[in-house]
Amino acid sequence: MYDLIVVGGGPAGTSAAITAARSGASVLLLERGRFPRHKVCGEFVSAESLVLLASLLDADHKSLLSDAIRITNARIFLDGHMLRTVTDPAAASIARLELDAALWQSAVASGVDARQRTVVQSIVGTGRFLIKTPDEDFEGRAVINATGRWSNLTMQPNHNQAKWIGVKGHFAESSPERSVDLYFFEGGYCGVQPVDLAGDSKHGRVNACAMVRADVAGNLKEVFSRHPALAERSDRWEPLSEPVSTSPLIFREPQPERAGVLMAGDAATFVDPFVGDGVSLALRGGSLAAESLLPFFQQKVSLHDATQAYSRMYQERLAPVFRASSGIRRMLGLPRPVRKPLLFLLGKTPAVTRYLVKRTRWVA
């Protein structure tokens, strides 16, 4: 019987596992894949989460932060215009190939029983949970679902929403600017930023990550062709990785708890990735879920009270960020005649742009 079973080994899951284990809980962490591996992600780690990330990484992986490229600018390319804003304090650019593996190994170093290539088939119970896998069953007093937006433990009906997909790849580019560049087009957008890979510095590298409607584009080549400036830029790139994709990307209201199971990261809800705070919110959500359970592990409150406390804190601290990011994306997706004066305003008043960016950030 474990105190906590965490399903999903991404930033939300490892953050939860490390937080709980370092507080004395017995923790089992299950991941269906194997590290290292690429994930569809902008790989932008906002400044608001860097202190938390540093605290989660064990001593052997602290250099991941110190060696990371710092992103000091953001540029938006839309309707033939470019909007620029300063990223202050600077964000970090860290490949998920490295980030997820470092967090996983830090969980192991923290005493977590961490198992890869373990597919969870079902979660049974509402207090004494039974986790079923093809090879073995596990029992836990509490469960955190951090399996992402599309797993068999998370998926809900699509309700006929337009289908959105995510696709990402790494490319060689000579001397890329330390900027996160967002190229908007009808039916989607693509973010591009420099990102480093461990042990190989022969090329400048950029990560291109797009969110697009399935009827608009189905791969990165089609995405690049949707924006003239991006098409011209990408013509000079050489691929450094096989593209990876994910779908569907479903927008819905946050659901921090389901049948007594705490939901963290994309399992709770999907944050629009263009705001660049997805990794930060995953780390915060996972840590918050684990912290909410600590009084339960200490037999000070019931599991119901602990899950309700998490739901309240999630709605107060994290949900406003999701709503703000969705609102800004809808604003940028307005018809061009309506959007034109808005872009003029943003271009002439950098303070407004900085305010909108601030609205999409988690603040303690």
Side-chain angles (χ1 to χ4, degrees), residues 244-289:
V244 291
S245 62
T246 184
S247 68
L249 307 180
I250 300 173
F251 301 96
R252 56 178 171 81
E253 282 295 307
Q255 187 178 18
E257 178 268 340
R258 189 187 303 170
V261 174
L262 280 65
M263 314 291 279
D266 284 351
T269 195
F270 174 57
V271 61
D272 202 307
F274 90 89
V275 303
D277 215 33
V279 171
S280 175
L281 291 169
L283 294 170
R284 294 286 179 187
S287 179
L288 188 65

Coordinates of all heavy atoms in Angstrom, one line a residue, residues 244-289:
V244 N 7.1 14.9 -34.1 CA 6.1 14.2 -33.3 C 4.8 15.0 -33.2 O 4.8 16.2 -33.4 CB 6.7 14.0 -31.8 CG1 7.8 13.0 -31.8 CG2 7.1 15.3 -31.2
S245 N 3.7 14.3 -33.0 CA 2.4 14.9 -33.0 C 1.5 14.4 -31.9 O 1.8 13.3 -31.4 CB 1.8 14.8 -34.4 OG 1.5 13.4 -34.7
T246 N 0.5 15.1 -31.7 CA -0.5 14.7 -30.7 C -1.9 15.3 -31.1 O -1.9 16.3 -31.6 CB -0.1 15.2 -29.2 OG1 -1.1 14.7 -28.3 CG2 -0.1 16.7 -29.1
S247 N -2.9 14.5 -30.8 CA -4.3 15.0 -31.0 C -5.2 14.1 -30.3 O -4.9 12.9 -29.9 CB -4.6 14.9 -32.5 OG -4.6 13.6 -33.0
P248 N -6.4 14.5 -30.0 CA -6.9 15.9 -30.3 C -6.5 16.8 -29.1 O -6.3 16.4 -28.0 CB -8.4 15.7 -30.4 CG -8.7 14.6 -29.4 CD -7.5 13.6 -29.5
L249 N -6.5 18.1 -29.4 CA -6.3 19.1 -28.4 C -7.7 19.7 -28.1 O -8.3 20.4 -28.9 CB -5.3 20.2 -28.9 CG -4.0 19.7 -29.4 CD1 -3.2 20.9 -29.9 CD2 -3.3 18.9 -28.4
I250 N -8.2 19.4 -26.9 CA -9.6 19.7 -26.6 C -9.6 20.8 -25.5 O -8.9 20.7 -24.4 CB -10.3 18.5 -26.0 CG1 -10.3 17.4 -27.1 CG2 -11.7 18.8 -25.6 CD1 -10.9 16.1 -26.7
F251 N -10.3 21.9 -25.8 CA -10.4 23.0 -24.8 C -11.7 22.8 -24.0 O -12.8 22.5 -24.5 CB -10.6 24.3 -25.6 CG -9.4 24.6 -26.5 CD1 -9.4 24.3 -27.8 CD2 -8.2 25.2 -25.9 CE1 -8.3 24.6 -28.6 CE2 -7.1 25.5 -26.8 CZ -7.2 25.1 -28.1
R252 N -11.5 22.8 -22.7 CA -12.6 22.6 -21.8 C -12.3 23.3 -20.4 O -11.2 23.6 -20.2 CB -12.9 21.1 -21.5 CG -11.8 20.3 -21.0 CD -12.1 18.9 -20.8 NE -11.0 18.0 -20.5 CZ -10.4 17.9 -19.3 NH1 -10.8 18.6 -18.3 NH2 -9.4 17.1 -19.1
E253 N -13.3 23.4 -19.6 CA -13.1 24.0 -18.3 C -12.3 23.1 -17.4 O -12.3 21.9 -17.6 CB -14.5 24.2 -17.6 CG -15.2 25.4 -18.1 CD -14.5 26.7 -17.8 OE1 -14.2 26.9 -16.6 OE2 -14.3 27.5 -18.7
P254 N -11.4 23.7 -16.6 CA -10.6 22.8 -15.7 C -11.4 21.9 -14.8 O -12.4 22.2 -14.3 CB -9.8 23.9 -14.9 CG -9.9 25.1 -15.7 CD -11.2 25.1 -16.4
Q255 N -10.9 20.7 -14.7 CA -11.5 19.7 -13.8 C -10.3 19.1 -12.9 O -9.7 18.1 -13.2 CB -12.1 18.5 -14.6 CG -12.9 17.6 -13.7 CD -13.6 16.5 -14.5 OE1 -13.2 16.3 -15.7 NE2 -14.5 15.8 -13.9
P256 N -10.1 19.8 -11.7 CA -9.0 19.4 -10.9 C -9.2 18.0 -10.2 O -8.2 17.5 -9.7 CB -8.9 20.5 -9.8 CG -9.8 21.6 -10.4 CD -10.8 20.9 -11.2
E257 N -10.4 17.5 -10.1 CA -10.7 16.3 -9.3 C -11.7 15.5 -10.0 O -12.7 16.1 -10.6 CB -11.1 16.6 -7.9 CG -11.4 15.4 -7.0 CD -12.9 15.1 -7.1 OE1 -13.8 15.9 -7.5 OE2 -13.3 13.9 -6.7
R258 N -11.6 14.2 -10.1 CA -12.6 13.3 -10.7 C -12.7 12.0 -9.9 O -11.7 11.3 -9.8 CB -12.3 13.0 -12.1 CG -13.4 12.3 -12.9 CD -13.0 11.9 -14.3 NE -12.5 13.0 -15.1 CZ -11.9 12.9 -16.2 NH1 -11.7 11.6 -16.7 NH2 -11.5 13.9 -16.9
A259 N -13.8 11.8 -9.2 CA -14.0 10.5 -8.5 C -12.9 10.3 -7.4 O -12.5 9.2 -7.2 CB -14.2 9.3 -9.4
G260 N -12.5 11.4 -6.7 CA -11.5 11.2 -5.7 C -10.1 11.2 -6.2 O -9.2 11.2 -5.3
V261 N -9.9 11.3 -7.5 CA -8.5 11.3 -8.1 C -8.2 12.7 -8.4 O -9.0 13.5 -9.0 CB -8.5 10.4 -9.3 CG1 -7.1 10.6 -10.0 CG2 -8.7 9.0 -9.0
L262 N -7.0 13.2 -8.0 CA -6.6 14.6 -8.3 C -6.0 14.6 -9.7 O -5.2 13.7 -10.1 CB -5.5 15.0 -7.3 CG -6.0 15.5 -5.9 CD1 -6.7 14.4 -5.1 CD2 -4.9 16.1 -5.1
M263 N -6.4 15.6 -10.5 CA -6.0 15.7 -11.8 C -4.9 16.8 -11.9 O -5.1 17.9 -11.4 CB -7.1 16.0 -12.8 CG -8.4 15.1 -12.5 SD -8.1 13.4 -13.0 CE -8.4 13.6 -14.8
A264 N -3.8 16.6 -12.6 CA -2.7 17.6 -12.7 C -2.2 17.7 -14.1 O -2.3 16.7 -14.9 CB -1.6 17.2 -11.7
G265 N -1.7 18.9 -14.5 CA -1.2 19.1 -15.8 C -2.3 19.1 -16.8 O -3.4 19.5 -16.5
D266 N -2.0 18.6 -18.0 CA -3.0 18.5 -19.1 C -4.2 17.6 -18.8 O -5.2 17.7 -19.4 CB -2.4 18.1 -20.4 CG -1.6 19.3 -21.0 OD1 -1.6 20.4 -20.5 OD2 -0.9 19.0 -22.0
A267 N -4.0 16.7 -17.8 CA -5.2 15.9 -17.4 C -6.3 16.7 -16.8 O -7.5 16.3 -16.9 CB -4.7 14.8 -16.5
A268 N -5.9 17.8 -16.1 CA -6.9 18.7 -15.5 C -7.5 19.6 -16.5 O -8.7 19.8 -16.5 CB -6.2 19.5 -14.4
T269 N -6.7 20.1 -17.4 CA -7.3 20.9 -18.5 C -6.1 21.3 -19.4 O -4.9 21.1 -19.1 CB -7.9 22.2 -18.1 OG1 -8.7 22.8 -19.1 CG2 -7.0 23.3 -17.6
F270 N -6.4 21.8 -20.6 CA -5.4 22.0 -21.6 C -5.2 23.5 -21.7 O -6.1 24.3 -22.1 CB -5.9 21.5 -23.0 CG -5.0 21.8 -24.2 CD1 -3.7 21.5 -24.1 CD2 -5.5 22.5 -25.3 CE1 -2.8 21.8 -25.2 CE2 -4.7 22.8 -26.3 CZ -3.3 22.5 -26.3
V271 N -4.0 24.0 -21.4 CA -3.7 25.4 -21.5 C -3.2 25.7 -22.9 O -2.4 25.0 -23.5 CB -2.6 25.9 -20.5 CG1 -1.3 25.1 -20.7 CG2 -2.4 27.4 -20.6
D272 N -3.8 26.8 -23.5 CA -3.4 27.2 -24.8 C -1.8 27.4 -24.9 O -1.3 28.3 -24.2 CB -4.1 28.5 -25.3 CG -4.1 28.6 -26.8 OD1 -3.1 28.5 -27.4 OD2 -5.2 28.8 -27.3
P273 N -1.1 26.6 -25.7 CA 0.4 26.7 -25.6 C 1.0 27.9 -26.0 O 2.2 28.2 -25.7 CB 0.8 25.5 -26.4 CG -0.3 25.2 -27.4 CD -1.6 25.6 -26.6
F274 N 0.3 28.8 -26.8 CA 1.0 30.0 -27.3 C 1.5 30.9 -26.2 O 2.4 31.7 -26.4 CB 0.1 30.7 -28.3 CG -0.8 31.8 -27.7 CD1 -0.3 33.1 -27.6 CD2 -2.0 31.5 -27.3 CE1 -1.1 34.1 -27.0 CE2 -2.9 32.5 -26.8 CZ -2.4 33.8 -26.6
V275 N 0.9 30.8 -25.0 CA 1.3 31.7 -23.9 C 2.6 31.3 -23.2 O 3.2 32.0 -22.4 CB 0.2 31.8 -22.8 CG1 -1.1 32.3 -23.4 CG2 0.0 30.5 -22.1
G276 N 3.0 30.1 -23.5 CA 4.3 29.6 -23.1 C 4.4 29.3 -21.6 O 5.5 29.4 -21.0
D277 N 3.3 29.0 -20.9 CA 3.4 28.7 -19.5 C 2.9 27.3 -19.2 O 2.6 27.0 -18.0 CB 2.5 29.7 -18.7 CG 3.1 30.1 -17.4 OD1 4.3 30.1 -17.3 OD2 2.3 30.3 -16.4
G278 N 2.8 26.4 -20.2 CA 2.4 25.1 -20.0 C 3.2 24.3 -19.0 O 2.7 23.6 -18.1
V279 N 4.6 24.3 -19.2 CA 5.5 23.6 -18.3 C 5.4 24.1 -16.9 O 5.3 23.4 -15.9 CB 6.9 23.6 -18.9 CG1 7.9 23.1 -17.8 CG2 7.0 22.9 -20.2
S280 N 5.3 25.5 -16.8 CA 5.2 26.1 -15.5 C 4.0 25.6 -14.8 O 4.0 25.3 -13.6 CB 5.3 27.6 -15.6 OG 5.1 28.2 -14.4
L281 N 2.9 25.7 -15.4 CA 1.6 25.3 -14.8 C 1.6 23.8 -14.5 O 1.0 23.4 -13.5 CB 0.4 25.7 -15.7 CG 0.2 27.1 -15.9 CD1 -0.8 27.4 -17.0 CD2 -0.3 27.8 -14.6
A282 N 2.2 23.0 -15.3 CA 2.3 21.5 -15.0 C 3.1 21.3 -13.7 O 2.7 20.6 -12.8 CB 2.9 20.8 -16.1
L283 N 4.2 22.0 -13.6 CA 5.1 21.9 -12.4 C 4.3 22.4 -11.1 O 4.3 21.7 -10.1 CB 6.4 22.7 -12.5 CG 7.3 22.2 -13.6 CD1 8.5 23.2 -13.8 CD2 7.9 20.8 -13.2
R284 N 3.6 23.5 -11.3 CA 2.9 24.1 -10.2 C 1.7 23.2 -9.8 O 1.5 23.0 -8.6 CB 2.4 25.5 -10.5 CG 3.5 26.5 -10.8 CD 4.1 27.0 -9.5 NE 5.1 28.0 -9.7 CZ 5.9 28.4 -8.8 NH1 5.8 28.0 -7.5 NH2 6.9 29.3 -9.1
G285 N 1.0 22.7 -10.8 CA -0.2 21.9 -10.5 C 0.2 20.6 -9.8 O -0.5 20.2 -8.8
G286 N 1.3 20.0 -10.3 CA 1.7 18.7 -9.6 C 2.1 18.9 -8.2 O 1.8 18.2 -7.3
S287 N 2.9 20.0 -8.0 CA 3.4 20.3 -6.6 C 2.2 20.6 -5.7 O 2.1 20.2 -4.6 CB 4.4 21.4 -6.7 OG 4.8 21.8 -5.4
L288 N 1.2 21.4 -6.2 CA 0.1 21.8 -5.5 C -0.8 20.6 -5.1 O -1.3 20.5 -4.0 CB -0.8 22.8 -6.3 CG -1.9 23.5 -5.5 CD1 -1.4 24.4 -4.4 CD2 -2.7 24.3 -6.5
A289 N -0.9 19.7 -6.0 CA -1.7 18.5 -5.7 C -1.1 17.7 -4.6 O -1.7 17.2 -3.7 CB -1.8 17.6 -7.0

